[in-house]
Amino acid sequence: MADPVPNRTVNQRPRRPFNLKLLYHYLITNAFSLVLIPLLAVAYMRMSTLTADDLRAIWDQLQYNVVSVIISSTLIIVLSTVYIMRRPRPVYLLDFSCYKPDDARKVTREIFMERSELAGTFSKENLDFQRKILERSGLGQDTYFPEAVLNVPPNPCMAEARKEAEMVMFGAIDELLAKTGVKPKDIGILVVNCSLFNPTPSLSSMVVNHYKLRGNISSFNLGGMGCSAGLISIDLAKQLLQVQRNTYALVVSMENITLNWYWGNNRSMLLSNCLFRMGGAAILLTNRRSERRRAKYQLVHTVRTHKGPDDRAYRCVFQEEDETSRTGVALSKDLMAIAGEALKTNITTLGPLVLPMSEQLMFLLTLAAKRVLGMKIKPYLPDFKMAFEHFCIHAGGRAVLDELEKNLELSDWHMEPSRMTLYRWGNTSSSSLWYELAYSEAKGRIRKGDRTWQIAFGSGFKCNSAVWRALRSVNPAKEKNPWKDEIDNFPVHVPKVEAIATKN
Protein backbone atom coordinates (compact mmCIF):
# COMPACT_ATOMS: atom_id res chain seq x y z
CA MET A 1 0.00 0.00 0.00
CA ALA A 2 1.10 3.52 -0.69
CA ASP A 3 2.12 5.77 2.16
CA PRO A 4 -0.81 6.96 4.30
CA VAL A 5 -1.56 10.66 4.31
CA PRO A 6 -1.41 12.19 7.82
CA ASN A 7 -4.81 11.51 9.38
CA ARG A 8 -5.23 14.68 11.42
CA THR A 9 -7.30 16.48 8.75
CA VAL A 10 -9.09 13.50 7.21
CA ASN A 11 -12.57 14.28 8.54
CA GLN A 12 -12.29 18.05 8.67
CA ARG A 13 -14.30 19.76 5.96
CA PRO A 14 -12.39 22.43 4.04
CA ARG A 15 -13.17 25.83 5.47
CA ARG A 16 -14.00 28.72 3.17
CA PRO A 17 -12.01 31.89 3.88
CA PHE A 18 -14.27 34.84 4.56
CA ASN A 19 -14.25 37.16 1.53
CA LEU A 20 -16.54 39.40 -0.49
CA LYS A 21 -17.92 36.48 -2.50
CA LEU A 22 -18.88 34.61 0.66
CA LEU A 23 -20.48 37.76 2.09
CA TYR A 24 -22.41 38.20 -1.17
CA HIS A 25 -23.55 34.58 -0.99
CA TYR A 26 -24.86 34.97 2.56
CA LEU A 27 -26.66 38.23 1.73
CA ILE A 28 -28.40 36.85 -1.36
CA THR A 29 -29.22 33.50 0.27
CA ASN A 30 -30.75 35.18 3.29
CA ALA A 31 -32.25 38.15 1.43
CA PHE A 32 -35.81 36.95 1.99
CA SER A 33 -35.25 36.68 5.74
CA LEU A 34 -33.48 40.03 5.87
CA VAL A 35 -36.50 41.70 4.21
CA LEU A 36 -39.20 39.66 5.94
CA ILE A 37 -38.02 40.14 9.52
CA PRO A 38 -38.35 43.96 9.49
CA LEU A 39 -41.78 43.66 7.84
CA LEU A 40 -42.92 41.19 10.49
CA ALA A 41 -41.61 43.50 13.19
CA VAL A 42 -43.59 46.42 11.76
CA ALA A 43 -46.71 44.25 11.44
CA TYR A 44 -46.34 43.07 15.03
CA MET A 45 -46.00 46.62 16.28
CA ARG A 46 -49.10 47.63 14.30
CA MET A 47 -51.15 44.72 15.58
CA SER A 48 -50.09 45.37 19.17
CA THR A 49 -51.90 48.72 18.98
CA LEU A 50 -55.25 47.14 18.00
CA THR A 51 -58.03 47.54 20.55
CA ALA A 52 -61.09 45.38 21.20
CA ASP A 53 -63.20 47.78 19.11
CA ASP A 54 -60.81 47.36 16.18
CA LEU A 55 -61.08 43.55 16.37
CA ARG A 56 -64.87 43.77 16.60
CA ALA A 57 -64.96 45.96 13.49
CA ILE A 58 -62.84 43.40 11.56
CA TRP A 59 -65.24 40.61 12.58
CA ASP A 60 -68.23 42.63 11.40
CA GLN A 61 -66.59 43.17 8.03
CA LEU A 62 -66.09 39.40 7.65
CA GLN A 63 -69.76 38.74 8.45
CA TYR A 64 -70.89 41.19 5.78
CA ASN A 65 -68.62 39.40 3.22
CA VAL A 66 -69.42 35.80 4.22
CA VAL A 67 -69.83 34.65 0.57
CA SER A 68 -66.37 35.92 -0.33
CA VAL A 69 -64.89 34.24 2.75
CA ILE A 70 -66.52 30.88 1.88
CA ILE A 71 -65.39 31.05 -1.76
CA SER A 72 -61.83 31.98 -0.76
CA SER A 73 -61.65 29.22 1.87
CA THR A 74 -63.02 26.62 -0.56
CA LEU A 75 -60.52 27.66 -3.23
CA ILE A 76 -57.63 27.38 -0.78
CA ILE A 77 -58.78 23.90 0.32
CA VAL A 78 -59.21 22.69 -3.28
CA LEU A 79 -55.82 24.00 -4.41
CA SER A 80 -54.12 22.53 -1.34
CA THR A 81 -55.74 19.14 -2.01
CA VAL A 82 -54.66 19.17 -5.68
CA TYR A 83 -51.11 20.07 -4.67
CA ILE A 84 -50.91 17.29 -2.08
CA MET A 85 -52.35 14.70 -4.50
CA ARG A 86 -50.10 15.67 -7.42
CA ARG A 87 -46.78 16.29 -5.70
CA PRO A 88 -44.17 13.52 -6.23
CA ARG A 89 -43.99 10.85 -3.58
CA PRO A 90 -40.74 11.07 -1.61
CA VAL A 91 -38.23 8.33 -2.35
CA TYR A 92 -36.03 7.20 0.52
CA LEU A 93 -32.80 5.21 0.43
CA LEU A 94 -33.17 2.80 3.31
CA ASP A 95 -29.63 1.44 3.03
CA PHE A 96 -27.10 0.05 0.55
CA SER A 97 -24.28 -2.49 0.54
CA CYS A 98 -21.15 -3.01 -1.54
CA TYR A 99 -19.73 -6.43 -2.28
CA LYS A 100 -16.27 -7.19 -0.92
CA PRO A 101 -14.70 -10.27 -2.58
CA ASP A 102 -12.53 -12.78 -0.73
CA ASP A 103 -8.81 -12.09 -0.43
CA ALA A 104 -8.17 -15.00 -2.81
CA ARG A 105 -9.53 -12.79 -5.62
CA LYS A 106 -7.03 -9.97 -5.01
CA VAL A 107 -4.88 -9.00 -7.96
CA THR A 108 -1.76 -6.93 -7.44
CA ARG A 109 -0.20 -5.06 -10.34
CA GLU A 110 2.48 -7.74 -10.46
CA ILE A 111 -0.11 -10.55 -10.63
CA PHE A 112 -1.93 -8.67 -13.39
CA MET A 113 1.23 -8.52 -15.52
CA GLU A 114 2.14 -12.14 -14.73
CA ARG A 115 -1.29 -13.44 -15.83
CA SER A 116 -1.17 -11.26 -18.95
CA GLU A 117 2.21 -12.73 -19.90
CA LEU A 118 1.07 -16.30 -19.18
CA ALA A 119 -1.99 -15.84 -21.40
CA GLY A 120 0.33 -15.94 -24.39
CA THR A 121 -1.91 -13.79 -26.57
CA PHE A 122 -0.37 -10.34 -26.03
CA SER A 123 2.64 -9.08 -27.98
CA LYS A 124 5.69 -7.82 -26.08
CA GLU A 125 4.91 -4.26 -27.18
CA ASN A 126 1.37 -4.48 -25.82
CA LEU A 127 2.52 -6.07 -22.56
CA ASP A 128 4.77 -3.03 -22.16
CA PHE A 129 1.81 -0.81 -23.06
CA GLN A 130 -0.36 -2.41 -20.37
CA ARG A 131 2.44 -2.06 -17.85
CA LYS A 132 2.75 1.64 -18.66
CA ILE A 133 -1.01 2.21 -18.34
CA LEU A 134 -1.22 0.28 -15.09
CA GLU A 135 1.68 2.18 -13.53
CA ARG A 136 -0.16 5.45 -14.19
CA SER A 137 -3.72 4.23 -13.56
CA GLY A 138 -4.08 5.15 -9.89
CA LEU A 139 -5.05 1.55 -9.02
CA GLY A 140 -3.54 -0.04 -5.91
CA GLN A 141 -2.50 -3.53 -4.94
CA ASP A 142 -5.81 -4.78 -3.50
CA THR A 143 -8.28 -4.78 -6.40
CA TYR A 144 -10.12 -7.97 -7.40
CA PHE A 145 -10.51 -10.28 -10.39
CA PRO A 146 -12.87 -13.25 -10.83
CA GLU A 147 -11.43 -16.73 -10.46
CA ALA A 148 -11.75 -17.55 -14.18
CA VAL A 149 -9.35 -14.74 -15.13
CA LEU A 150 -6.87 -15.52 -12.36
CA ASN A 151 -6.70 -19.23 -13.20
CA VAL A 152 -3.69 -20.55 -15.14
CA PRO A 153 -4.69 -21.12 -17.84
CA PRO A 154 -7.73 -18.81 -17.68
CA ASN A 155 -11.10 -20.46 -18.31
CA PRO A 156 -13.66 -17.81 -19.29
CA CYS A 157 -16.98 -19.51 -20.02
CA MET A 158 -20.71 -19.04 -19.39
CA ALA A 159 -20.65 -21.16 -16.23
CA GLU A 160 -17.83 -19.06 -14.71
CA ALA A 161 -19.55 -15.82 -15.73
CA ARG A 162 -22.76 -16.95 -14.00
CA LYS A 163 -20.69 -17.90 -10.96
CA GLU A 164 -19.18 -14.42 -10.80
CA ALA A 165 -22.58 -12.75 -11.25
CA GLU A 166 -24.16 -14.83 -8.49
CA MET A 167 -21.25 -14.22 -6.15
CA VAL A 168 -21.41 -10.44 -6.57
CA MET A 169 -25.19 -9.98 -6.67
CA PHE A 170 -26.13 -12.40 -3.91
CA GLY A 171 -23.23 -11.25 -1.71
CA ALA A 172 -24.40 -7.62 -1.87
CA ILE A 173 -28.12 -8.44 -1.55
CA ASP A 174 -27.64 -10.82 1.39
CA GLU A 175 -25.81 -8.12 3.33
CA LEU A 176 -28.40 -5.49 2.41
CA LEU A 177 -31.36 -7.59 3.53
CA ALA A 178 -29.56 -8.42 6.79
CA LYS A 179 -28.89 -4.72 7.43
CA THR A 180 -32.45 -3.57 6.73
CA GLY A 181 -34.48 -6.54 7.96
CA VAL A 182 -36.73 -6.27 4.88
CA LYS A 183 -38.21 -9.58 3.72
CA PRO A 184 -37.75 -10.53 0.03
CA LYS A 185 -41.53 -10.96 -0.38
CA ASP A 186 -42.02 -7.27 0.51
CA ILE A 187 -39.96 -6.10 -2.48
CA GLY A 188 -42.26 -4.92 -5.29
CA ILE A 189 -39.70 -3.54 -7.77
CA LEU A 190 -36.39 -5.02 -8.96
CA VAL A 191 -33.92 -3.31 -11.30
CA VAL A 192 -30.63 -5.00 -12.21
CA ASN A 193 -28.03 -3.39 -14.44
CA CYS A 194 -24.97 -5.04 -15.99
CA SER A 195 -23.64 -3.66 -19.23
CA LEU A 196 -21.74 -6.53 -20.85
CA PHE A 197 -23.14 -9.79 -19.42
CA ASN A 198 -26.75 -10.46 -20.36
CA PRO A 199 -27.54 -14.19 -20.19
CA THR A 200 -30.88 -15.93 -20.64
CA PRO A 201 -32.68 -16.11 -18.24
CA SER A 202 -31.71 -12.59 -17.26
CA LEU A 203 -29.79 -11.49 -14.19
CA SER A 204 -33.00 -10.06 -12.72
CA SER A 205 -34.65 -13.48 -13.15
CA MET A 206 -31.63 -14.99 -11.40
CA VAL A 207 -32.34 -12.74 -8.39
CA VAL A 208 -36.08 -13.47 -8.47
CA ASN A 209 -35.41 -17.21 -8.48
CA HIS A 210 -32.75 -17.17 -5.78
CA TYR A 211 -34.73 -15.08 -3.29
CA LYS A 212 -38.17 -16.41 -4.33
CA LEU A 213 -39.49 -12.90 -4.87
CA ARG A 214 -43.24 -12.52 -5.34
CA GLY A 215 -44.83 -13.40 -8.65
CA ASN A 216 -46.19 -9.93 -9.46
CA ILE A 217 -42.87 -8.14 -8.96
CA SER A 218 -41.99 -5.44 -11.51
CA SER A 219 -38.56 -6.61 -12.64
CA PHE A 220 -36.21 -4.97 -15.15
CA ASN A 221 -32.81 -5.93 -16.55
CA LEU A 222 -30.75 -3.09 -18.06
CA GLY A 223 -27.87 -4.01 -20.36
CA GLY A 224 -25.38 -2.22 -22.58
CA MET A 225 -25.79 1.14 -20.81
CA GLY A 226 -22.26 1.50 -19.47
CA CYS A 227 -20.89 2.83 -16.22
CA SER A 228 -23.73 5.32 -15.72
CA ALA A 229 -26.39 2.60 -15.71
CA GLY A 230 -26.50 2.58 -11.92
CA LEU A 231 -28.05 6.05 -11.86
CA ILE A 232 -30.36 5.11 -14.73
CA SER A 233 -31.56 2.24 -12.52
CA ILE A 234 -32.09 4.64 -9.62
CA ASP A 235 -34.10 6.97 -11.87
CA LEU A 236 -36.20 4.07 -13.20
CA ALA A 237 -36.90 2.86 -9.66
CA LYS A 238 -37.87 6.42 -8.69
CA GLN A 239 -40.39 6.62 -11.52
CA LEU A 240 -41.89 3.24 -10.61
CA LEU A 241 -42.19 4.26 -6.96
CA GLN A 242 -44.39 7.16 -8.07
CA VAL A 243 -47.07 4.74 -9.30
CA GLN A 244 -46.68 1.77 -6.96
CA ARG A 245 -47.72 2.60 -3.44
CA ASN A 246 -46.19 1.50 -0.17
CA THR A 247 -43.45 -0.77 -1.51
CA TYR A 248 -39.71 -1.35 -1.76
CA ALA A 249 -37.45 -1.17 -4.82
CA LEU A 250 -34.24 -3.20 -4.98
CA VAL A 251 -31.55 -1.90 -7.34
CA VAL A 252 -28.50 -4.05 -8.14
CA SER A 253 -25.54 -2.54 -10.03
CA MET A 254 -22.59 -4.62 -11.22
CA GLU A 255 -20.31 -5.51 -14.11
CA ASN A 256 -19.02 -8.90 -15.19
CA ILE A 257 -15.32 -9.39 -15.96
CA THR A 258 -15.18 -13.11 -16.80
CA LEU A 259 -16.45 -13.03 -20.39
CA ASN A 260 -15.31 -9.49 -21.10
CA TRP A 261 -11.57 -9.73 -20.62
CA TYR A 262 -9.94 -8.74 -23.90
CA TRP A 263 -7.36 -11.19 -25.26
CA GLY A 264 -6.23 -9.27 -28.36
CA ASN A 265 -3.69 -6.56 -29.21
CA ASN A 266 -5.84 -3.54 -30.08
CA ARG A 267 -4.57 -0.88 -27.68
CA SER A 268 -7.84 1.02 -27.48
CA MET A 269 -9.41 -2.21 -26.17
CA LEU A 270 -6.57 -3.04 -23.78
CA LEU A 271 -7.31 0.03 -21.67
CA SER A 272 -10.38 -1.62 -20.14
CA ASN A 273 -8.28 -4.62 -19.03
CA CYS A 274 -6.07 -2.27 -17.03
CA LEU A 275 -8.89 -0.34 -15.33
CA PHE A 276 -11.94 -2.55 -14.75
CA ARG A 277 -12.22 -4.75 -11.67
CA MET A 278 -14.73 -6.97 -9.87
CA GLY A 279 -17.43 -5.36 -7.70
CA GLY A 280 -21.11 -4.63 -7.24
CA ALA A 281 -23.67 -2.91 -5.04
CA ALA A 282 -27.27 -3.36 -3.90
CA ILE A 283 -29.50 -0.43 -2.95
CA LEU A 284 -32.91 -0.53 -1.26
CA LEU A 285 -35.33 2.32 -1.98
CA THR A 286 -38.84 2.82 -0.63
CA ASN A 287 -41.78 5.23 -0.77
CA ARG A 288 -43.15 4.15 2.60
CA ARG A 289 -43.41 7.29 4.74
CA SER A 290 -43.17 5.17 7.87
CA GLU A 291 -39.61 4.22 6.83
CA ARG A 292 -38.39 7.81 6.77
CA ARG A 293 -37.28 7.68 10.40
CA ARG A 294 -34.71 4.94 9.71
CA ALA A 295 -33.82 5.79 6.09
CA LYS A 296 -30.37 7.22 5.41
CA TYR A 297 -31.09 9.50 2.46
CA GLN A 298 -33.87 11.05 0.45
CA LEU A 299 -33.56 11.21 -3.33
CA VAL A 300 -33.89 14.87 -4.30
CA HIS A 301 -33.12 14.98 -8.03
CA THR A 302 -32.09 12.79 -10.94
CA VAL A 303 -30.87 14.34 -14.21
CA ARG A 304 -30.07 12.28 -17.30
CA THR A 305 -28.17 13.52 -20.36
CA HIS A 306 -27.82 11.56 -23.61
CA LYS A 307 -25.42 12.58 -26.40
CA GLY A 308 -26.39 9.64 -28.62
CA PRO A 309 -27.49 11.77 -31.63
CA ASP A 310 -23.83 12.77 -32.09
CA ASP A 311 -22.04 9.97 -34.00
CA ARG A 312 -18.71 10.83 -32.40
CA ALA A 313 -20.20 10.53 -28.91
CA TYR A 314 -22.11 7.37 -29.84
CA ARG A 315 -18.95 5.53 -30.90
CA CYS A 316 -16.50 6.78 -28.26
CA VAL A 317 -17.09 3.65 -26.10
CA PHE A 318 -17.86 0.86 -28.54
CA GLN A 319 -17.92 -2.93 -28.24
CA GLU A 320 -16.75 -4.64 -31.41
CA GLU A 321 -14.43 -7.27 -32.83
CA ASP A 322 -10.82 -6.47 -33.63
CA GLU A 323 -8.98 -7.55 -36.76
CA THR A 324 -8.49 -11.05 -35.27
CA SER A 325 -12.22 -11.42 -34.40
CA ARG A 326 -11.62 -11.00 -30.67
CA THR A 327 -14.35 -8.96 -28.96
CA GLY A 328 -13.46 -5.95 -26.82
CA VAL A 329 -14.61 -2.49 -25.81
CA ALA A 330 -12.73 0.25 -27.67
CA LEU A 331 -12.21 3.60 -25.94
CA SER A 332 -11.87 6.58 -28.28
CA LYS A 333 -9.23 9.30 -27.94
CA ASP A 334 -12.14 11.76 -27.98
CA LEU A 335 -13.57 10.28 -24.76
CA MET A 336 -12.46 13.06 -22.41
CA ALA A 337 -13.68 15.84 -24.71
CA ILE A 338 -17.05 14.15 -25.15
CA ALA A 339 -17.35 13.55 -21.41
CA GLY A 340 -16.72 17.27 -20.86
CA GLU A 341 -19.49 18.21 -23.30
CA ALA A 342 -21.91 15.76 -21.66
CA LEU A 343 -21.03 17.13 -18.20
CA LYS A 344 -21.69 20.69 -19.39
CA THR A 345 -25.13 19.72 -20.68
CA ASN A 346 -25.94 17.83 -17.51
CA ILE A 347 -24.99 20.60 -15.08
CA THR A 348 -26.86 23.14 -17.21
CA THR A 349 -30.02 21.24 -16.31
CA LEU A 350 -28.98 20.40 -12.75
CA GLY A 351 -27.70 23.86 -11.81
CA PRO A 352 -31.04 25.69 -11.53
CA LEU A 353 -32.38 22.83 -9.38
CA VAL A 354 -29.62 22.87 -6.79
CA LEU A 355 -27.55 26.05 -6.90
CA PRO A 356 -28.30 28.83 -4.41
CA MET A 357 -29.78 32.03 -5.82
CA SER A 358 -26.46 33.83 -5.37
CA GLU A 359 -24.72 31.52 -7.86
CA GLN A 360 -27.59 31.60 -10.36
CA LEU A 361 -27.64 35.40 -10.23
CA MET A 362 -23.87 35.60 -10.87
CA PHE A 363 -24.24 33.27 -13.85
CA LEU A 364 -27.09 35.33 -15.33
CA LEU A 365 -25.25 38.62 -14.80
CA THR A 366 -22.09 37.42 -16.57
CA LEU A 367 -24.18 35.89 -19.37
CA ALA A 368 -26.03 39.20 -19.82
CA ALA A 369 -22.76 41.17 -19.76
CA LYS A 370 -21.29 38.94 -22.45
CA ARG A 371 -24.28 38.66 -24.80
CA VAL A 372 -26.13 41.94 -24.27
CA LEU A 373 -23.31 44.35 -23.47
CA GLY A 374 -20.74 42.57 -25.64
CA MET A 375 -18.15 42.40 -22.85
CA LYS A 376 -15.24 40.00 -23.41
CA ILE A 377 -15.41 37.97 -20.23
CA LYS A 378 -15.32 34.27 -19.51
CA PRO A 379 -18.62 32.55 -18.72
CA TYR A 380 -19.10 32.25 -14.96
CA LEU A 381 -18.61 28.70 -13.68
CA PRO A 382 -21.00 28.18 -10.76
CA ASP A 383 -19.47 27.00 -7.51
CA PHE A 384 -21.13 23.63 -6.90
CA LYS A 385 -19.46 23.45 -3.50
CA MET A 386 -22.18 25.92 -2.47
CA ALA A 387 -24.79 23.28 -3.36
CA PHE A 388 -23.18 20.04 -2.14
CA GLU A 389 -21.11 18.86 0.79
CA HIS A 390 -20.03 15.59 -0.85
CA PHE A 391 -19.12 14.55 -4.40
CA CYS A 392 -19.19 10.97 -5.67
CA ILE A 393 -17.63 11.07 -9.13
CA HIS A 394 -17.48 7.80 -11.05
CA ALA A 395 -13.99 6.34 -10.59
CA GLY A 396 -13.56 5.63 -14.29
CA GLY A 397 -9.86 6.44 -14.29
CA ARG A 398 -7.34 8.97 -13.08
CA ALA A 399 -7.76 11.18 -16.18
CA VAL A 400 -11.53 11.44 -15.62
CA LEU A 401 -11.07 12.44 -11.99
CA ASP A 402 -8.32 14.96 -12.83
CA GLU A 403 -10.53 16.61 -15.44
CA LEU A 404 -13.57 16.93 -13.17
CA GLU A 405 -11.48 18.17 -10.27
CA LYS A 406 -10.17 20.91 -12.52
CA ASN A 407 -13.50 21.83 -14.16
CA LEU A 408 -15.51 21.89 -10.93
CA GLU A 409 -12.66 23.44 -8.90
CA LEU A 410 -12.89 20.78 -6.19
CA SER A 411 -10.46 20.30 -3.33
CA ASP A 412 -8.48 17.17 -2.49
CA TRP A 413 -10.99 16.55 0.33
CA HIS A 414 -13.91 16.52 -2.09
CA MET A 415 -12.07 14.19 -4.52
CA GLU A 416 -10.80 11.84 -1.83
CA PRO A 417 -13.69 9.31 -1.92
CA SER A 418 -13.39 8.93 -5.70
CA ARG A 419 -9.58 8.68 -5.78
CA MET A 420 -9.43 6.23 -2.89
CA THR A 421 -12.15 4.09 -4.47
CA LEU A 422 -10.17 3.93 -7.72
CA TYR A 423 -7.06 3.02 -5.73
CA ARG A 424 -8.67 0.38 -3.51
CA TRP A 425 -11.29 -1.19 -5.82
CA GLY A 426 -10.43 -0.07 -9.35
CA ASN A 427 -13.15 0.84 -11.84
CA THR A 428 -16.10 -1.31 -10.75
CA SER A 429 -18.31 0.36 -13.37
CA SER A 430 -21.80 1.43 -12.25
CA SER A 431 -21.25 0.35 -8.63
CA SER A 432 -18.24 2.63 -8.03
CA LEU A 433 -20.46 5.51 -6.83
CA TRP A 434 -21.62 3.38 -3.90
CA TYR A 435 -18.10 2.44 -2.83
CA GLU A 436 -17.41 6.18 -2.80
CA LEU A 437 -20.47 6.98 -0.66
CA ALA A 438 -19.50 4.11 1.63
CA TYR A 439 -16.06 5.72 2.00
CA SER A 440 -17.61 9.00 3.17
CA GLU A 441 -19.78 7.07 5.63
CA ALA A 442 -16.83 5.07 6.95
CA LYS A 443 -14.95 8.33 7.54
CA GLY A 444 -17.87 9.66 9.59
CA ARG A 445 -18.39 12.58 7.21
CA ILE A 446 -22.12 12.20 6.53
CA ARG A 447 -24.19 14.48 8.74
CA LYS A 448 -27.90 15.13 8.81
CA GLY A 449 -28.89 17.55 6.06
CA ASP A 450 -25.74 16.99 3.96
CA ARG A 451 -26.23 16.92 0.19
CA THR A 452 -24.36 14.45 -2.01
CA TRP A 453 -23.93 14.65 -5.78
CA GLN A 454 -23.38 11.36 -7.60
CA ILE A 455 -22.28 11.78 -11.20
CA ALA A 456 -21.37 9.07 -13.72
CA PHE A 457 -20.50 8.71 -17.39
CA GLY A 458 -21.38 5.81 -19.66
CA SER A 459 -21.39 4.52 -23.23
CA GLY A 460 -23.91 5.95 -25.62
CA PHE A 461 -22.69 8.63 -24.56
CA LYS A 462 -24.43 9.48 -21.29
CA CYS A 463 -23.86 11.65 -18.24
CA ASN A 464 -26.24 11.11 -15.32
CA SER A 465 -26.60 12.74 -11.91
CA ALA A 466 -28.39 11.94 -8.66
CA VAL A 467 -28.70 14.24 -5.66
CA TRP A 468 -29.28 12.85 -2.16
CA ARG A 469 -29.98 14.58 1.15
CA ALA A 470 -28.93 12.82 4.37
CA LEU A 471 -31.87 12.29 6.72
CA ARG A 472 -29.61 11.44 9.64
CA SER A 473 -25.96 11.46 10.60
CA VAL A 474 -24.27 8.15 9.83
CA ASN A 475 -22.31 6.62 12.70
CA PRO A 476 -19.54 4.51 11.11
CA ALA A 477 -19.15 2.42 14.26
CA LYS A 478 -22.64 1.02 13.73
CA GLU A 479 -22.31 0.41 10.00
CA LYS A 480 -21.37 -2.74 8.10
CA ASN A 481 -19.17 -1.21 5.45
CA PRO A 482 -16.62 -2.62 2.95
CA TRP A 483 -14.10 -0.03 4.15
CA LYS A 484 -14.65 -0.57 7.87
CA ASP A 485 -11.66 -2.80 8.70
CA GLU A 486 -9.17 -0.66 6.78
CA ILE A 487 -10.54 2.88 6.71
CA ASP A 488 -7.86 4.15 9.11
CA ASN A 489 -5.26 3.39 6.42
CA PHE A 490 -6.83 5.97 4.10
CA PRO A 491 -6.30 8.35 2.44
CA VAL A 492 -3.00 7.32 0.90
CA HIS A 493 -0.66 9.19 -1.38
CA VAL A 494 -0.98 7.83 -4.92
CA PRO A 495 2.10 8.62 -7.04
CA LYS A 496 1.68 9.77 -10.62
CA VAL A 497 3.73 6.74 -11.64
CA GLU A 498 4.04 3.62 -9.48
CA ALA A 499 6.57 1.19 -10.93
CA ILE A 500 5.64 -2.49 -11.22
CA ALA A 501 8.22 -4.91 -9.89
CA THR A 502 9.72 -7.14 -12.56
CA LYS A 503 11.07 -10.66 -12.26
CA ASN A 504 14.82 -11.09 -12.32
Side-chain angles (χ1 to χ4, degrees):
M1 179 173 285
D3 297 332
V5 174
N7 213 31
R8 53 189 171 82
T9 61
V10 164
N11 296 319
Q12 296 176 7
R13 302 188 184 195
R15 293 182 178 180
R16 289 178 171 274
F18 188 81
N19 52 34
L20 289 177
K21 182 178 178 181
L22 194 59
L23 176 61
Y24 158 79
H25 169 72
Y26 285 143
L27 288 175
I28 297 298
T29 302
N30 299 292
F32 182 75
S33 299
L34 294 174
V35 173
L36 184 62
I37 290 174
L39 291 177
L40 289 175
V42 172
Y44 174 77
M45 293 176 64
R46 179 70 182 89
M47 291 181 66
S48 65
T49 62
L50 293 177
T51 64
D53 290 336
D54 294 329
L55 295 174
R56 193 177 299 109
I58 294 173
W59 175 250
D60 290 340
Q61 286 292 326
L62 291 175
Q63 286 182 316
Y64 291 136
N65 296 279
V66 66
V67 175
S68 299
V69 171
I70 292 174
I71 292 175
S72 301
S73 300
T74 303
L75 184 61
I76 291 172
I77 293 172
V78 170
L79 292 176
S80 300
T81 303
V82 170
Y83 170 74
I84 293 172
M85 294 295 292
R86 292 180 62 86
R87 66 176 179 174
R89 291 189 179 93
V91 174
Y92 305 114
L93 190 157
L94 204 58
D95 214 329
F96 68 96
S97 63
C98 300
Y99 177 65
K100 185 175 184 178
D102 296 333
D103 287 347
R105 306 283 177 269
K106 282 189 176 181
V107 53
T108 63
R109 291 184 291 271
E110 288 73 23
I111 290 177
F112 176 94
M113 290 308 305
E114 178 190 354
R115 295 298 191 274
S116 295
E117 291 172 10
L118 291 174
T121 62
F122 303 114
S123 67
K124 183 181 183 305
E125 292 77 14
N126 281 325
L127 285 172
D128 291 339
F129 173 76
Q130 290 182 80
R131 181 187 300 276
K132 181 179 178 180
I133 294 297
L134 199 59
E135 289 176 338
R136 292 160 175 78
S137 65
L139 273 68
Q141 296 286 63
D142 295 312
T143 58
Y144 300 93
F145 266 165
E147 183 178 359
V149 177
L150 288 174
N151 286 340
V152 181
N155 60 323
C157 60
M158 179 61 73
E160 287 295 327
R162 286 184 181 275
K163 180 180 176 181
E164 179 192 350
E166 291 174 353
M167 186 184 303
V168 173
M169 291 194 304
F170 300 162
I173 296 172
D174 286 347
E175 182 179 299
L176 179 62
L177 295 179
K179 289 166 71 172
T180 60
V182 172
K183 298 177 181 178
K185 290 290 185 182
D186 291 333
I187 297 172
I189 299 167
L190 171 65
V191 184
V192 178
N193 69 266
C194 181
S195 190
L196 295 175
F197 180 57
N198 295 284
T200 300
S202 66
L203 297 176
S204 59
S205 294
M206 199 182 295
V207 174
V208 171
N209 176 260
H210 182 80
Y211 291 97
K212 310 304 177 189
L213 302 182
R214 63 198 200 193
N216 65 343
I217 190 169
S218 298
S219 66
F220 299 84
N221 197 96
L222 306 184
M225 304 193 81
C227 298
S228 68
L231 295 186
I232 296 175
S233 297
I234 293 293
D235 182 65
L236 174 58
K238 180 190 78 170
Q239 302 300 332
L240 294 169
L241 286 170
Q242 298 305 308
V243 296
Q244 295 193 32
R245 297 176 178 272
N246 205 37
T247 191
Y248 297 95
L250 174 62
V251 175
V252 183
S253 295
M254 63 163 290
E255 194 50 83
N256 191 283
I257 304 295
T258 299
L259 286 181
N260 296 291
W261 183 261
Y262 175 62
W263 303 99
N265 285 281
N266 184 318
R267 292 193 174 185
S268 67
M269 296 180 178
L270 284 171
L271 288 170
S272 60
N273 283 10
C274 300
L275 297 175
F276 282 89
R277 296 295 185 267
M278 184 179 180
I283 306 96
L284 192 63
L285 306 175
T286 184
N287 54 11
R288 293 187 175 186
R289 293 185 182 273
S290 60
E291 292 283 27
R292 188 184 192 281
R293 59 181 178 80
R294 71 179 184 124
K296 281 185 174 180
Y297 306 94
Q298 181 173 345
L299 182 58
V300 183
H301 301 291
T302 53
V303 175
R304 294 169 56 178
T305 301
H306 207 308
K307 305 296 285 186
D310 181 350
D311 291 341
R312 190 172 61 106
Y314 172 71
R315 294 191 63 89
C316 74
V317 180
F318 206 81
Q319 186 181 28
E320 58 186 348
E321 293 178 331
D322 66 9
E323 59 277 4
T324 62
S325 298
R326 291 186 172 98
T327 302
V329 177
L331 304 181
S332 167
K333 294 180 180 179
D334 297 328
L335 179 59
M336 293 308 303
I338 292 167
E341 294 169 7
L343 174 65
K344 182 179 179 180
T345 304
N346 190 268
I347 64 177
T348 300
T349 304
L350 180 68
L353 299 175
V354 299
L355 287 169
M357 187 57 66
S358 58
E359 289 299 297
Q360 296 189 49
L361 185 59
M362 283 290 290
F363 177 79
L364 290 174
L365 288 175
T366 55
L367 185 64
K370 183 176 182 180
R371 294 190 177 181
V372 178
L373 302 178
M375 298 174 64
K376 295 182 178 180
I377 56 175
K378 292 182 179 179
Y380 179 72
L381 178 65
D383 186 356
F384 280 89
K385 297 187 292 296
M386 293 284 190
F388 305 109
E389 285 74 34
H390 308 283
F391 295 80
C392 295
I393 301 167
H394 168 54
R398 171 176 264 164
V400 174
L401 298 181
D402 289 346
E403 191 69 17
L404 265 73
E405 179 181 9
K406 176 184 175 182
N407 290 342
L408 296 175
E409 298 181 356
L410 301 178
S411 68
D412 290 343
W413 189 90
H414 292 114
M415 295 299 300
E416 187 181 309
S418 298
R419 292 196 183 280
M420 293 304 101
T421 294
L422 180 64
Y423 180 84
R424 174 62 180 84
W425 308 93
N427 181 348
T428 61
S429 191
S430 57
S431 65
S432 67
L433 299 173
W434 301 102
Y435 288 93
E436 293 165 13
L437 185 56
Y439 181 91
S440 294
E441 288 189 353
K443 282 293 184 183
R445 295 179 177 180
I446 304 297
R447 303 172 188 169
K448 184 177 180 180
D450 280 1
R451 298 152 299 178
T452 300
W453 180 15
Q454 291 181 319
I455 184 166
F457 302 91
S459 59
F461 188 84
K462 298 178 285 292
C463 176
N464 300 318
S465 293
V467 178
W468 304 89
R469 183 175 68 250
L471 297 176
R472 57 183 172 88
S473 298
V474 178
N475 183 354
K478 297 181 179 179
E479 292 292 318
K480 187 171 178 60
N481 186 301
W483 296 89
K484 187 173 183 179
D485 296 334
E486 52 192 287
I487 192 63
D488 291 337
N489 297 328
F490 292 93
V492 298
H493 171 65
V494 183
K496 292 293 183 183
V497 179
E498 198 159 6
I500 298 175
T502 55
K503 292 182 179 180
N504 294 327

